[in-house]
């Protein structure tokens, strides 16, 4: 019953999201976990709900410096939100990414330390499942949770089957965002990197965009708990998360300026050199994005990634909502499917619009140079 209702909701929401066109601004939804009577992890005077709220607000203040970012919080005060309401906010706002911020704790391993970032997915790793089960158990604090999450029992891993269906099309971008967060934690805040992991989080499964859940460290570790509860620690973690989001935005949307790892070390900057703006898409319909463009430059190639999947699908238009000119690239266990190939940026943007209008609302541009993937900004330059 749970999976059936879930699939029905998926269809309705995809229709709503499918009506959107590539947004001019990059919209970020920040989700501080827990709140009010849901304290999250608690060790001594350290409460997860307060630490993650403080960090989320600091991340938001840093991101507000970029005029091309729209910012939405699931909560800005100490209030309780149901898990499903958090992703409903992100879907309603048609967010580009959803970032849920948490802190970890374990009972029998006080020496455990380090950051880890999760994306939606099934996991055979017992420790990953335990973290997910602990975070998912918050539904028992919700009124009528038996009705809202019919058939789901947070204590039974087998009831998690089917929750990964929605996020599969966003998994590649989610992993990219999670990787950037972990890299920034290491480089900007010098934290131990426990890696990017997959686990079946209820708070992620209903999000119709790339989504991650960050565990900033262990409150059960006295040293790390004190760090996360300190202003210095909160500032460093917030700056790392903000820079990771900016890194992701540069790759998938538009350029931004990174925030210095240590604000107190900022020095006066030279007058920035004038940079030519990316060529805007043609305003006429003279470009036919349904056909490949003539190659005019050597080495640089734009593609529209429409979906990534664990399944090898036959490359015909019937399997891709009527789109032809589909190519596939296998990376690890994932198959990435691309619509159109062109060296013309105008043509690529037109092709992206065609893909989104066909229902691939999470489609995005990728660029390759001599067979190696590069950022869109580097390709444009």
């Amino acid at each position: 019953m749970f999976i059936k209702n879930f699939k029905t909701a998926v269809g309705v929401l995809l229709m709503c999201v499918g009506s959107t066109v590539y947004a001019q601004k990059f919209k970020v939804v920040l989700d501080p976990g827990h709140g009010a009577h849901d304290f999250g992890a608690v060790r001594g005077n350290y409460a997860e709900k307060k630490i993650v709220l403080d960090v989320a607000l600091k991340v938001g203040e840093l991101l507000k410096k970029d005029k091309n970012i729209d910012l939405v919080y699931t909560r800005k005060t100490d209030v309780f939100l149901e898990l499903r309401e958090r992703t409903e906010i992100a879907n309603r706002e048609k967010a580009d990414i959803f970032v849920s911020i948490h802190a970890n704790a374990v009972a029998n391993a006080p020496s455990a330390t380090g950051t880890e970032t999760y994306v939606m997915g099934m996991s055979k790793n017992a420790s990953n499942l335990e973290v997910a089960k602990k975070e998912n158990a918050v539904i028992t604090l919700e009124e009528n949770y038996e009705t809202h999450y019919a058939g789901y029992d947070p204590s039974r891993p087998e009831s998690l089957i089917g929750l990964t269906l929605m996020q599969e099309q966003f998994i590649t971008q989610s992993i990219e965002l999670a990787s950037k967060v972990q890299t920034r934690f290491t480089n900007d805040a010098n934290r131990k990197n426990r890696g990017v992991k997959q686990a079946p989080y209820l708070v992620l499964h209903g999000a119709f965009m790339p989504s991650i859940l960050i565990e900033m460290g262990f409150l059960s570790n006295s040293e790390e708990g004190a760090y996360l509860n300190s202003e210095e620690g909160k500032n460093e973690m917030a700056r790392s998360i903000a820079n990771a989001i900016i890194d992701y935005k540069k790759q998938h949307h538009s350029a931004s300026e990174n925030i210095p790892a240590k604000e107190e070390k900022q020095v006066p900057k030279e007058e920035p050199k004038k940079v030519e703006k990316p060529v805007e898409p043609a305003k006429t319909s003279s470009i036919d994005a349904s056909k490949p463009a003539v190659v005019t430059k050597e080495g640089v190639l734009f593609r529209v990634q429409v979906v990534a999947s664990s399944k090898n699908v036959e490359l015909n238009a019937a399997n891709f909502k009527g789109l032809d000119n589909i190519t596939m690239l296998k990376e690890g266990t994932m198959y990435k499917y691309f619509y159109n190939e062109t060296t013309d940026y105008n043509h690529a943007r037109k092709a992206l619009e065609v893909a989104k209008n066909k229902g691939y609302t999470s489609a995005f541009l990728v660029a390759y140079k001599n067979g190696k993937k590069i950022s869109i900004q580097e390709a444009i330059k």
Side-chain angles (χ1 to χ4, degrees):
M1 178 63 72
F2 174 74
I3 296 176
K4 182 178 179 181
N5 292 340
F6 171 67
K7 288 182 177 179
T8 302
V10 165
V12 173
L13 282 172
L14 275 178
M15 289 170 58
C16 296
V17 177
S19 64
T20 63
V21 182
Y22 193 67
Q24 185 175 2
K25 288 192 174 184
F26 186 76
K27 184 169 286 189
V28 178
V29 171
L30 296 177
D31 173 46
H34 309 281
H37 56 283
D38 173 20
F39 283 75
V42 177
R43 290 296 185 275
N45 295 325
Y46 309 147
E48 179 183 358
K49 69 168 186 174
K50 183 180 186 307
I51 291 173
V52 299
L53 177 59
D54 290 346
V55 171
L57 293 175
K58 290 176 182 292
V59 173
E61 288 303 311
L62 294 170
L63 293 179
K64 285 178 182 177
K65 297 177 181 179
D66 188 328
K67 295 180 179 179
N68 290 317
I69 290 180
D70 275 343
L71 192 65
V72 177
Y73 299 91
T74 57
R75 70 180 182 98
K76 297 180 70 174
T77 58
D78 187 20
V79 297
F80 180 76
L81 289 175
E82 296 182 355
L83 289 184
R84 62 197 182 97
E85 186 177 353
R86 297 171 186 269
T87 45
E88 282 174 2
I89 291 172
N91 292 332
R92 185 169 62 248
E93 293 289 339
K94 299 180 176 62
D96 288 285
I97 59 172
F98 175 79
V99 178
S100 191
I101 303 174
H102 293 256
N104 217 334
V106 288
N108 302 317
S111 62
T113 184
T115 66
E116 50 196 23
T117 302
Y118 287 85
V119 301
M120 184 65 193
M122 291 303 296
S123 173
K124 295 180 180 179
N125 185 296
S127 62
N128 292 5
L129 283 172
E130 283 304 311
V131 176
K133 284 163 61 179
K134 180 180 63 179
E135 296 290 358
N136 291 344
V138 70
I139 68 169
T140 60
L141 300 178
E142 302 177 15
E143 293 183 6
N144 301 320
Y145 81 91
E146 297 93 341
T147 302
H148 294 157
Y149 305 93
Y152 175 75
D153 179 351
S155 67
R156 295 171 57 240
E158 58 268 28
S159 71
L160 299 168
I161 296 173
L163 295 186
T164 61
L165 297 177
M166 260 309 304
Q167 271 291 318
E168 186 173 87
Q169 64 176 307
F170 306 111
I171 190 64
T172 300
Q173 291 161 279
S174 297
I175 291 173
E176 287 179 0
L177 176 58
S179 298
K180 293 182 188 303
V181 170
Q182 285 301 117
T183 298
R184 282 292 180 174
F185 280 151
T186 301
N187 295 343
D188 292 359
N190 196 31
R191 310 312 295 169
K192 178 182 176 180
N193 188 340
R194 296 171 64 92
V196 174
K197 303 178 179 182
Q198 286 186 289
Y201 284 97
L202 279 171
V203 76
L204 297 181
H205 91 275
F208 294 88
M209 71 285 300
S211 308
I212 61 173
L213 185 145
I214 298 168
E215 295 282 3
M216 298 188 296
F218 289 80
L219 300 183
S220 49
N221 180 293
S222 58
E223 183 177 343
E224 192 159 74
Y227 169 80
L228 291 174
N229 197 54
S230 69
E231 282 302 303
E232 178 185 4
K234 292 173 185 175
N235 286 334
E236 287 188 347
M237 300 306 280
R239 197 171 297 116
S240 300
I241 295 170
N243 268 333
I245 291 172
I246 289 172
D247 291 340
Y248 180 88
K249 174 176 173 283
K250 282 182 182 179
Q251 182 174 343
H252 293 285
H253 197 271
S254 61
S256 297
E257 184 177 346
N258 281 331
I259 301 155
K262 296 281 188 179
E263 288 192 347
E264 62 272 19
K265 291 185 179 180
Q266 289 188 66
V267 296
K269 296 181 180 179
E270 296 180 2
E271 192 69 24
K273 295 180 180 179
K274 188 174 182 180
V275 180
E276 292 185 6
K277 294 183 178 179
V279 179
E280 291 297 322
K283 298 184 182 300
T284 69
S285 58
S286 59
I287 295 176
D288 184 357
S290 66
K291 298 178 181 179
V294 177
V295 175
T296 56
K297 298 178 183 177
E298 193 67 32
V300 176
L301 182 71
F302 294 99
R303 294 171 174 167
V304 179
Q305 183 169 321
V306 291
V307 69
S309 174
S310 58
K311 299 177 182 178
N312 187 355
V313 180
E314 185 178 349
L315 304 182
N316 60 56
N319 290 333
F320 294 91
K321 303 181 181 181
L323 294 176
D324 53 11
N325 302 325
I326 297 291
T327 57
M328 182 270 286
L329 176 66
K330 186 177 182 183
E331 292 186 4
T333 60
M334 298 298 293
Y335 296 88
K336 296 183 178 180
Y337 296 93
F338 305 93
Y339 167 59
N340 210 286
E341 293 184 349
T342 177
T343 58
D344 187 304
Y345 181 65
N346 287 348
H347 189 279
R349 288 294 297 270
K350 281 285 186 180
L352 176 62
E353 185 176 341
V354 169
K356 285 179 176 289
N357 288 337
K358 284 285 188 178
Y360 289 105
T361 56
S362 63
F364 58 96
L365 289 180
V366 294
Y368 293 84
K369 183 175 182 180
N370 299 325
K372 182 180 179 181
K373 189 175 181 180
I374 60 175
S375 71
I376 294 297
Q377 291 302 312
E378 183 179 351
I380 292 173
K381 290 178 182 179

